[in-house]
Amino acid sequence: MNKPYVRPLSKTSWFLTQTRYKRYMAREVTCLFIFAYTFLLVWGLKRLSEGPDAFNAFVQALGSPLGVLFNLVVLIAAVYHSTSWFNVTPQAMPIQRGEEFVPGKIIVGAHYALWAVASLIVLVLGV
Amino acid sequence: MEIVKTDIAIIGAGGAGLRAAIALAEADPKLRIALISKVYPMRSHTCAAEGGAAGVIKSDDSMALHFGDTVGGGDWLSDQDAVEYFIQEAPKELTQLEHWGCPWSREPDGSVAVRPFGGMKIKRTWFAADKSGFHILHTLFQTSLKYPSIQRFDEYYATDLLVEDGRCQGLTALEIRSGQMKQFQAKAVIIAAGGGGKMFPFTTNGNIKTGDGMALAYRAGTPLKDMEFVQYHPTGLPNNGILLTEGCRGEGGVLFNKDGRRYLQDYGMGPETPIGQPVLKTMELGPRDRLSQAFWGEQKKGNTVSTPWGDCVLLDMRHLGEKKIDERLPLVRDLCISYLGKDPVKEPIPIRPVVHYMMGGIHTDTRAATRLPGLFAAGECACVSINGANRLGSNSLTELLVFGKRAALSAIEHIQSGLPDGKGAALAAQAQASEARISALMNKSNGTETIAGLRKEMMDTMETNVGIYRTGSELATACDKISELRQRYANIALHDKTHVYNTDLMQALELGSMLDCAEAVTVGARDRKESRGAHQRLDFTERDDVNLLKHTLTHYHPTDPPRVEYLDVVITQSQPGVRDYSGAKK
Amino acid sequence: MSERQIQLEVLRYNPETDSEPRYQTYSVPCMNEWVVLDALNYVKEHLDPTLSYRWSCHMAVCGSCGMMINGEPKLACKAFIHEYTDQIRVDPMANFPIERDLVTSVEDFIAKLASVKPYLIPKEDKPISAGEFKQTPAELKKFKQYTLCINCMLCYAACPQYGLVPEFLGPAAISMAHRYNQDSRDGGRDQRQEVIATDTGVWECSFVGACSEVCPKHVDPAGALQQVKVASTIDWYKEHLMPWMKK
Amino acid sequence: MAKSNKPIFWGLFAAGGTVTAFVTPALALVTLFAAMRYSPDMFTYEVIHAFAANWLGKLVIFGIIFLSLWHAAHRTRVTVHDFGVRADGLVAIVVYALAGIGTLLTLVYLLHI
Ligand SMILES: Cc1cc2nc3c(=O)[nH]c(=O)nc-3n(C[C@H](O)[C@H](O)[C@H](O)COP(=O)(O)OP(=O)(O)OC[C@H]3O[C@@H](n4cnc5c(N)ncnc54)[C@H](O)[C@@H]3O)c2cc1C
Ligand code: SF4
Ligand code: F3S
Ligand code: FES
């Protein structure tokens, strides 16, 4: 008689079973840092609206070891997010020119180039 | 035993079975259709067909030309009324598939593209890259999902036909998943269960091609036709028989022997054509039987290349270039690299002939009807016969469609002819007998023969004695051996006693089918004392149109060898002539 | 043609005698050019006729021999022995119930495939006698890749979201809907959206991408699903922010 | 099964993902430099204020923060699910509320500058 066997799958630790799942979870978890970092920006904006003293205090607070560490982690997470995001754009948005599809490498390359330009602008404006 | 009541039962959900099912559903949405298959429909072996399907569509082509190629290619053993019907319907069916979404390859203007194929005088083979059968099968399967009246019984193995009052009224089938037998009561049955190449060890055929459908009809008393005509495909990968489509040569691939000579010119298919400029019906574009025979000739002369997998010749496609190979023959490239470690873009590929297709099958008329009322057959398991003594590449896929549909229409005519009700009790008794046979097979514990052992002996026999060239004495040996194996089969042992998904049982049943078919092949071959198409005898080297312009019909006997009968070939327009494959001369 | 002795560790499950699956190891002399399927066939012929698994074509086109080989979803007929060490573990496809040994129940997938209307719903009616629909090579290329799916279900075995939420329509079914949506002859997208643009349709996918990594035919279902998301999102914004654009 | 309303959030998620991919690493680098006092006259009140005082600047800042918030919120919802928390409705309310509040505050602060 039929008695199909369903293999158990842990709802909370499934992603430990394969490297590709770990890579995926790492990518997903970047959002927590981006979330937190964006709130930091909102906080900075508040301090900015409160005048120079408040803003300087904010920058001061950033300089605490915790602040530095936080920024560092966010930076790493953000870079991981960017690369994982750009690498899959050709899948989500393929471009067909005439008969052929534009090779994925070119689309990814264009994104990286644009990323470099955008970063440069931000750095010039910020620094 | 559970009884499934239906109007029409179809055994087999490959190209032919699916086409029949759709035709039934379209003809009358109220019909109950049971589509029974031992594998999920898209696993059927139609998926392996690469090259394409022939049908007249371009303005430089004509029905007369397709007719001439097919009849000549079949060495005049084809029934010409069937061929006429076939070529008329072919373009309609291929267009119909296009309307159902089949991704046929296209010309720049958006019309369907055609490619050259062996034995065809004009480019007329519709193709979907080199996955034509795959796309046809999936298009049909997916289209069939539109029709709620098609009730599928996937992974059901048909075991016996139910015949009562002289007509076929259903079948029994084993639900593989549960091991339960089911009785299907139907007013008509269509068999579309595919070929039986697996009776040979070296074949392009998949594991499921075990001649079940042929054996079902045969055992139910309807004869098999022309079973001795077994097609070798000239270009198989030498290690595992994977097919490299004829499209390789259609696109311009050439064959060399070990000295780099285009040896086909030495076998009446020359003169040599320039590389990269294939000429239709010449050299590499000759028909399969001739090419496979030429290989045998080269092997006898010692001109073949020896490889770890036996003697080979070389198929060279390098001059086609990477771009064309990737566009037109992507699967071929993938298969060569994956399974042989050789890239056709960079090096010639060793190949050798491989068992590919059975021209013979269940004897049907042009209506796809068998001699048993209520039983119809289509596809590779049937023999109409349009393929005669040698099928032209790309005629088979079209045949599935044309005669799949034809079988459906004939089945409807049959059930509308006012049939009396079936005798439930008599059918049930037959079904029970069938169930008893299966459970006896399963429960037998004292057998001394193994499935694998008998199967190997059968394959070896077929390979050594019923190959490309045959002799009377070898065929006599083969007949004796197969008949012996059929006796020994009764003493088979089954180790697996589980009901759920018992593949041991399936293999035992399949072996039974193959042995029955193999006997029809060997007996038919022994008695056909001539050389015609794929049946070449070293002791009777000429075609004998006086005595043997006839179909072989073999009739089943449970214990003895089959009774052989002959039936005249239907000739309408074309008298037997010379098969000429040296078109470049003109 | 060298020979190697391989330890083939196979997950066995007999529903009539076992309460749960167990591994059984077979020692198989393998030719180096073999695939794992050849090794299984060796076991079936010479060592243990009771081992059950599906296969047919032996050329990676029928889609029946999907299984987990060393934990990775693979076609057994395209898993080359020479790419493995002498110890190979074979499991039935993940995320599907085991019917017996390496045979899984796949009804769920078949039903899902059927549910997305995977057939041409023509834009315009055209009798057969009027000939074929025209379609340029560029229009063909637009969807060709998605027609290559052999329904092997390896993508389902790889997709954790399908494992976690069995109602998910899954990669191959949605890719097949996308295939028809992208076909220049088709006009059935609205009907298919009703099925695929749902919570258990494309929106259950979180773009893990495993499906495309394991797909033996390079269908790239992950890409198809993201494209469906983009298109569905554009639909939504058009419908709600620009209601006048509605047909 | 009705069509999902996820596209609303997914649209923002996708747009936000793209924006954060382009600018967040650079932004984080700037704030990191500022935190580490890399150079005394960078990230000064004057420069930033001037940028935020101008309408275009306000728009850019709002765009970045708004999209980043919704990107992160939506992905957080999925991630929480991936970690095995099955209260998707509740999680959705919490994360989208957070993003909503953040958006609102950003607007308020920007208008104050
Ligand atoms: C590698 C290869 C390449 C080919 N290329 C070409 C080509 O380019 N052009 C061309 O015209 N032809 C080609 N052919 C030939 C052609 O593909 C076949 O003849 C054709 O596909 C057979 O189709 P079918 O529907 O008759 O059977 P199949 O597709 O084999 O289907 C048989 C069906 O019957 C079912 N079945 C069998 N036994 C049972 C049973 N006991 N109970 C229930 N169900 C059963 C199976 O499950 C299956 O569904 C090729 C053949 C091969 C092997
Ligand atoms: S998409 Fe790829 S992996 Fe998934 S079923 Fe199709 S062929 Fe298999
Ligand atoms: S792995 Fe699953 S989550 Fe989506 S991208 Fe593929 S379907
Ligand atoms: S046996 Fe057909 S895909 Fe492997």
Side-chain angles (χ1 to χ4, degrees):
Chain A
M1 273 303 96
N2 293 91
K3 197 179 70 185
Y5 183 85
V6 179
R7 284 161 285 178
L9 180 66
S10 162
K11 290 214 179 338
T12 49
S13 62
W14 58 271
F15 47 87
L16 298 176
T17 58
Q18 283 193 24
T19 340
R20 63 163 70 90
Y21 297 164
K22 288 183 203 155
R23 256 190 286 131
Y24 159 77
M25 279 306 249
R27 182 190 88 188
E28 295 297 286
V29 165
T30 58
C31 72
L32 297 179
F33 297 96
I34 288 174
F35 217 170
Y37 181 72
T38 314
F39 275 109
L40 181 83
L41 291 183
V42 176
W43 181 248
L45 210 57
K46 172 181 155 62
R47 304 300 273 164
L48 186 69
S49 73
E50 289 164 3
D53 292 345
F55 186 73
N56 287 336
F58 167 71
V59 176
Q60 199 75 35
L62 268 189
S64 70
L66 211 68
V68 174
L69 188 71
F70 177 72
N71 270 284
L72 201 69
V73 176
V74 167
L75 177 64
I76 295 169
V79 168
Y80 189 67
H81 163 69
S82 303
T83 51
S84 63
W85 192 269
F86 294 142
N87 290 344
V88 297
T89 38
Q91 284 177 279
M93 305 228 190
I95 303 169
Q96 192 180 17
R97 282 276 167 93
E99 194 180 328
E100 299 303 321
F101 279 91
V102 177
K105 277 189 216 124
I106 292 186
I107 299 180
V108 175
H111 275 88
Y112 275 91
L114 212 64
W115 183 25
V117 173
S119 302
L120 218 68
I121 295 175
V122 174
L123 285 173
V124 167
L125 282 177
V127 179
Chain B
M1 192 183 327
E2 190 186 321
I3 297 178
V4 180
K5 288 202 163 114
T6 183
D7 291 316
I8 298 179
I10 304 171
I11 304 174
L18 284 166
R19 182 66 189 91
I22 296 173
L24 291 172
E26 286 201 325
D28 180 358
K30 287 196 294 295
L31 273 179
R32 293 168 302 171
I33 304 153
L35 183 58
I36 299 156
S37 170
K38 67 176 174 178
V39 294
Y40 282 90
M42 63 285 190
R43 316 291 184 220
S44 304
H45 207 59
T46 298
C47 71
E50 300 171 11
V56 174
I57 174 166
K58 299 291 174 186
S59 53
D60 60 353
D61 201 359
S62 75
M63 297 291 174
L65 289 172
H66 193 187
F67 177 88
D69 287 343
T70 303
V71 171
D75 221 348
W76 279 273
L77 196 70
S78 315
D79 281 331
Q80 297 180 9
D81 52 349
V83 177
E84 283 165 8
Y85 178 76
F86 166 71
I87 54 172
Q88 290 295 337
E89 293 299 307
K92 293 182 213 163
E93 281 299 310
L94 297 176
T95 308
Q96 174 66 76
L97 264 188
E98 196 279 335
H99 284 213
W100 284 333
C102 186
W104 295 119
S105 293
R106 302 283 177 157
E107 301 287 359
D109 72 351
S111 60
V112 166
V114 287
R115 69 165 32 139
F117 237 65
M120 301 277 190
K121 202 175 191 151
I122 301 274
K123 290 198 225 177
R124 68 164 69 92
T125 298
W126 301 41
F127 62 102
D130 55 0
K131 302 186 180 73
S132 308
F134 168 81
H135 287 301
I136 290 176
L137 183 68
H138 281 252
T139 302
L140 287 171
F141 171 58
Q142 291 169 6
T143 302
S144 79
L145 297 173
K146 244 189 339 202
Y147 302 98
S149 61
I150 301 176
Q151 197 185 354
R152 285 207 327 275
F153 295 85
D154 296 332
E155 300 199 324
Y156 276 65
Y157 183 99
T159 52
D160 287 285
L161 296 177
L162 302 177
V163 183
E164 185 63 34
D165 288 337
R167 59 192 167 92
C168 183
Q169 298 189 33
L171 63 136
T172 48
L174 181 79
E175 184 186 19
I176 301 169
R177 187 176 160 270
S178 67
Q180 302 295 308
M181 288 289 278
K182 300 274 155 83
Q183 180 192 344
F184 289 81
Q185 289 184 3
K187 296 177 191 144
V189 174
I190 299 172
I191 304 187
K198 272 284 164 184
M199 65 182 93
F200 290 82
F202 188 61
T203 172
T204 61
N205 284 196
N207 185 41
I208 59 171
K209 299 197 74 169
T210 51
D212 294 338
M214 298 174 183
L216 276 172
Y218 189 41
R219 291 195 292 250
T222 173
L224 298 182
K225 179 159 84 189
D226 293 340
M227 290 291 280
E228 60 273 29
F229 295 97
V230 176
Q231 179 167 74
Y232 278 74
H233 195 294
T235 58
L237 286 186
N239 50 342
N240 50 23
I242 287 178
L243 174 81
L244 301 185
T245 169
E246 195 155 302
C248 296
R249 285 170 286 124
E251 298 297 342
V254 294
L255 293 173
F256 285 113
N257 65 15
K258 79 168 197 294
D259 306 320
R261 180 172 171 79
R262 303 258 306 275
Y263 61 89
L264 293 177
Q265 57 190 297
D266 306 333
Y267 297 86
M269 284 173 273
E272 189 170 343
T273 52
I275 285 193
Q277 296 167 36
V279 175
L280 291 149
K281 275 183 126 172
T282 306
M283 291 293 287
E284 282 79 10
L285 292 183
R288 293 178 179 174
D289 54 344
R290 288 291 178 81
L291 262 71
S292 297
Q293 288 149 19
F295 170 88
W296 187 87
E298 288 300 284
Q299 193 178 27
K300 286 281 166 285
K301 290 186 204 162
N303 287 345
T304 43
V305 184
S306 60
T307 73
W309 314 282
D311 293 338
C312 291
V313 288
L314 296 170
L315 171 64
D316 194 350
M317 290 176 270
R318 288 172 299 178
H319 52 278
L320 301 181
E322 184 161 5
K323 185 167 185 296
K324 183 155 187 188
I325 291 184
D326 281 347
E327 181 194 313
R328 294 290 177 94
L329 304 163
L331 178 67
V332 164
R333 187 176 184 199
D334 179 34
L335 293 170
C336 291
I337 295 176
S338 300
Y339 293 100
L340 200 66
K342 291 186 190 293
D343 183 351
V345 169
K346 303 201 183 94
E347 57 192 317
I349 305 296
I351 49 104
R352 64 181 169 118
V354 51
V355 170
H356 185 53
Y357 181 86
M358 302 200 51
M359 269 69 74
I362 305 165
H363 168 48
T364 62
D365 60 19
T366 51
R367 296 169 50 250
T370 69
R371 281 188 179 174
L372 179 63
L375 182 67
F376 303 83
E380 191 171 340
C381 69
C383 181
V384 182
S385 137
I386 62 156
N387 298 312
N390 170 59
R391 171 182 72 107
L392 288 191
S394 78
N395 265 352
S396 170
L397 287 174
T398 313
E399 179 185 0
L400 308 179
L401 304 167
V402 171
F403 288 98
K405 179 174 176 188
R406 181 70 252 204
L409 300 182
S410 299
I412 292 178
E413 280 167 27
H414 172 75
I415 65 175
Q416 284 173 347
S417 65
L419 297 170
D421 283 344
K423 292 192 192 107
L427 294 174
Q430 282 188 34
Q432 247 125 42
S434 168
E435 185 178 34
R437 178 173 75 91
I438 306 294
S439 55
L441 184 61
M442 241 183 100
N443 295 330
K444 195 161 53 191
S445 47
N446 56 353
T448 50
E449 303 286 351
T450 66
I451 299 169
L454 285 190
R455 192 170 51 206
K456 179 156 192 320
E457 284 187 49
M458 168 190 69
M459 287 178 171
D460 290 347
T461 307
M462 298 306 280
E463 167 143 78
T464 3
N465 303 307
V466 202
I468 297 178
Y469 279 94
R470 304 157 172 187
T471 64
S473 65
E474 283 173 347
L475 289 169
T477 313
C479 289
D480 293 346
K481 184 74 190 177
I482 298 292
S483 155
E484 172 204 318
L485 293 175
R486 278 187 69 209
Q487 311 290 333
R488 283 164 58 193
Y489 177 76
N491 208 10
I492 204 165
L494 223 70
H495 295 277
D496 193 343
K497 306 290 179 199
T498 304
H499 294 88
V500 174
Y501 224 96
N502 187 331
T503 44
D504 207 21
L505 173 61
M506 299 257 300
Q507 290 194 348
L509 293 169
E510 290 172 341
L511 177 60
S513 302
M514 287 192 284
L515 284 171
D516 289 346
C517 293
E519 191 166 46
V521 172
T522 47
V523 168
R526 182 197 60 200
D527 291 2
R528 185 173 283 277
K529 298 190 171 75
E530 64 160 351
S531 288
R532 183 189 295 272
H535 175 70
Q536 293 290 318
R537 292 205 31 177
L538 294 170
D539 44 356
F540 297 95
T541 54
E542 296 302 313
R543 191 174 78 193
D544 179 1
D545 288 325
V546 178
N547 301 305
L548 284 165
L549 189 57
K550 286 183 166 57
H551 298 296
T552 310
L553 294 186
T554 36
H555 295 264
Y556 178 80
H557 190 282
T559 49
D560 295 348
R563 174 172 65 82
V564 178
E565 172 199 358
Y566 290 94
L567 183 73
D568 283 341
V569 168
V570 178
I571 293 197
T572 59
Q573 340 175 355
S574 170
Q575 290 302 323
V578 180
R579 295 172 74 202
D580 183 9
Y581 294 102
S582 54
K585 257 184 294 196
K586 292 161 211 152
Chain C
M1 280 211 299
S2 55
E3 211 184 271
R4 266 167 69 201
Q5 202 69 24
I6 301 279
Q7 302 305 313
L8 203 64
E9 208 187 334
V10 184
L11 194 71
R12 302 292 312 271
Y13 172 65
N14 182 333
E16 288 165 27
T17 54
D18 301 341
S19 58
E20 57 179 45
R22 67 204 146 76
Y23 284 103
Q24 183 167 351
T25 304
Y26 302 97
S27 183
V28 185
C30 292
M31 297 296 185
N32 214 32
E33 80 220 33
W34 274 14
V35 290
V36 171
L37 178 60
D38 294 317
L40 289 170
N41 286 344
Y42 184 92
V43 173
K44 179 113 185 136
E45 262 181 48
H46 301 281
L47 306 176
D48 186 350
T50 68
L51 181 65
S52 287
Y53 51 96
R54 294 185 177 104
W55 72 287
S56 175
C57 69
H58 198 293
M59 56 186 279
V61 67
C62 76
S64 41
C65 68
M67 43 191 85
M68 310 296 284
I69 298 173
N70 284 350
E72 179 78 359
K74 287 263 183 196
L75 296 177
C77 68
K78 226 189 168 183
F80 298 93
I81 294 285
H82 64 79
E83 289 171 6
Y84 295 92
T85 61
D86 291 348
Q87 186 93 29
I88 301 177
R89 206 182 65 242
V90 184
D91 284 90
M93 263 194 298
N95 298 337
F96 291 94
I98 308 175
E99 202 65 71
R100 171 173 182 190
D101 296 345
L102 299 172
V103 177
T104 51
S105 3
V106 300
E107 280 306 317
D108 181 52
F109 166 72
I110 303 287
K112 282 174 175 161
L113 181 67
S115 76
V116 303
K117 303 190 189 245
Y119 38 78
L120 199 81
I121 303 175
K123 238 189 259 171
E124 42 169 324
D125 270 341
K126 189 169 178 174
I128 298 298
S129 55
E132 77 261 43
F133 290 107
K134 294 278 191 257
Q135 182 168 66
T136 63
E139 287 168 330
L140 173 64
K141 189 114 190 190
K142 191 160 181 224
F143 67 91
K144 187 68 200 271
Q145 178 185 2
Y146 309 114
T147 64
L148 301 179
C149 171
I150 59 173
N151 297 350
C152 65
M153 300 171 293
L154 292 185
C155 50
Y156 286 73
C159 175
Q161 302 302 2
Y162 176 64
L164 294 167
V165 184
E167 295 78 35
F168 177 30
L169 270 182
I174 300 175
S175 306
M176 197 49 78
H178 187 57
R179 170 249 177 276
Y180 283 101
N181 289 344
Q182 298 285 90
D183 191 320
S184 59
R185 298 165 288 184
D186 186 85
R189 178 164 176 269
D190 288 347
Q191 295 182 40
R192 291 187 202 99
Q193 282 295 98
E194 296 295 326
V195 187
I196 65 172
T198 58
D199 279 339
T200 53
V202 73
W203 296 111
E204 194 59 62
C205 162
S206 58
F207 204 175
V208 177
C211 50
S212 291
E213 284 172 39
V214 304
C215 174
K217 294 287 147 183
H218 310 293
V219 171
D220 191 10
L225 268 64
Q226 307 325 302
Q227 292 163 38
V228 170
K229 288 184 197 169
V230 172
S232 309
T233 302
I234 295 174
D235 281 355
W236 193 92
Y237 278 98
K238 263 196 196 154
E239 221 172 279
H240 291 86
L241 302 183
M242 298 183 276
W244 61 91
M245 297 277 294
K246 249 195 193 160
K247 289 168 250 165
Chain D
M1 175 73 58
K3 278 200 222 172
S4 172
N5 56 11
K6 282 215 179 118
I8 326 168
F9 303 112
W10 194 81
L12 295 173
F13 159 78
T18 310
V19 166
T20 51
F22 277 123
V23 301
T24 309
L27 279 177
L29 204 61
V30 170
T31 48
L32 184 68
F33 283 163
M36 286 164 53
R37 306 284 182 307
Y38 183 73
S39 134
D41 49 31
M42 66 171 283
F43 210 65
T44 58
Y45 173 78
E46 288 71 30
V47 174
I48 307 287
H49 190 267
F51 184 77
N54 143 329
W55 275 106
L56 188 67
K58 278 195 210 302
L59 202 70
V60 170
I61 294 173
F62 179 74
I64 291 175
I65 294 185
F66 168 70
L67 289 174
S68 301
L69 281 173
W70 287 90
H71 163 76
H74 185 71
R75 197 173 244 182
T76 305
R77 175 182 175 187
V78 175
T79 307
V80 169
H81 187 267
D82 284 343
F83 275 110
V85 179
R86 283 298 127 98
D88 185 52
L90 189 70
V91 173
I93 292 173
V94 173
V95 294
Y96 295 146
L98 275 177
I101 294 169
T103 309
L104 221 72
L105 289 176
T106 308
L107 263 181
V108 173
Y109 299 145
L110 276 175
L111 291 177
H112 268 89
I113 293 172

